Amino acid sequence: SQPDIYVWNLIRNTLFVGAITFVLTYLYLHSSLADKHIPSAVYSLVAFAIGLTLAMRMSTAYERWSSGSKHFNELHNSITFLCMKARETLSNPEKEILLKHISLFLSNFNETLRNLDDKKDLDIEQSYLEELHNIMSLFTDLYDSKEMELGDMNVYHKTIQDIIVSAGSCVRIKNTPIP
């Protein structure tokens, strides 16, 4: 699982850095360099560089979290609006079909965001996009059979577009490596 992989990588990297530090310290103390004095300006410069690097990394991580949170909230709001609009304009059989497709979309989208395997990623991504296509097909069929007005069809179409944009943004943020 992902937390186990993270902990293992953290322990492995910590041990690697510790071993390098030990070897360098040992070599420094047992060489003629130990008698030489390193100016304190070097320590200040290294501390400044490390601090600047950490600040930039934290800023990037926060921007990524903030952007992901914004797009996820947009996705939530669009799906909530879709359900509210369906409740007032659709009959019971169509509502049940729509809720089934929305449930499958959310399940597949959840798998897309949690998936770590790139090979499976395309199949899962196709399945959540397929559910959005099924939802749009339901609305198109209702419009073609004159059970839905053009204004409602346009609202549903715009909402599905918003869902696609927000979901795509969430997936893009997930797939963007942290520098």
Side-chain angles (χ1 to χ4, degrees):
S1 72
Q2 189 172 4
D4 294 338
I5 293 170
Y6 175 76
V7 170
W8 171 247
N9 284 338
L10 181 66
I11 290 170
R12 186 187 62 184
N13 291 340
T14 302
L15 290 174
F16 180 71
V17 168
I20 289 175
T21 304
F22 175 78
V23 168
L24 289 176
T25 303
Y26 181 81
L27 291 174
Y28 176 75
L29 292 176
H30 289 72
S31 71
S32 63
L33 292 175
D35 299 335
K36 306 233 186 286
H37 178 67
I38 298 175
S40 62
V42 173
Y43 292 115
S44 297
L45 183 63
V46 169
F48 176 75
I50 290 173
L52 187 62
T53 304
L54 289 174
M56 296 297 269
R57 186 171 172 89
M58 289 300 293
S59 175
T60 303
Y62 176 76
E63 286 175 23
R64 182 178 171 158
W65 174 85
S66 176
S67 178
S69 176
K70 177 184 144 209
H71 291 298
F72 196 77
N73 285 333
E74 288 173 0
L75 179 66
H76 175 265
N77 293 339
S78 296
I79 291 173
T80 302
F81 177 76
L82 181 67
C83 291
M84 288 173 48
K85 184 72 176 164
R87 188 179 302 155
E88 71 181 43
T89 60
L90 298 180
S91 62
N92 279 340
E94 284 86 13
K95 273 192 256 190
E96 290 177 16
I97 293 169
L98 177 65
L99 290 177
K100 181 187 90 166
H101 287 304
I102 289 174
S103 176
L104 287 171
F105 162 74
L106 291 173
S107 175
N108 292 337
F109 188 65
N110 183 26
E111 282 298 314
T112 299
L113 293 180
R114 288 182 184 263
N115 188 19
L116 296 175
D117 187 8
D118 290 336
K119 294 174 187 169
K120 286 186 191 175
D121 215 20
L122 191 60
D123 293 337
I124 294 173
E125 188 171 338
Q126 288 292 25
S127 61
Y128 88 77
L129 291 173
E130 185 177 308
E131 288 307 321
L132 287 175
H133 176 73
N134 291 340
I135 292 170
M136 198 61 213
S137 295
L138 172 69
F139 296 139
T140 304
D141 292 344
L142 289 172
Y143 177 71
D144 290 342
S145 65
K146 306 283 190 236
E147 294 180 37
M148 182 185 296
E149 297 176 10
L150 180 62
D152 290 335
M153 178 64 180
N154 289 338
V155 169
Y156 283 123
H157 183 72
K158 172 74 170 99
T159 305
I160 295 295
Q161 281 181 327
D162 292 344
I163 290 172
I164 290 170
V165 167
S166 297
S169 297
C170 290
V171 170
R172 181 181 40 80
I173 290 168
K174 173 212 167 224
N175 292 335
T176 304
I178 298 175

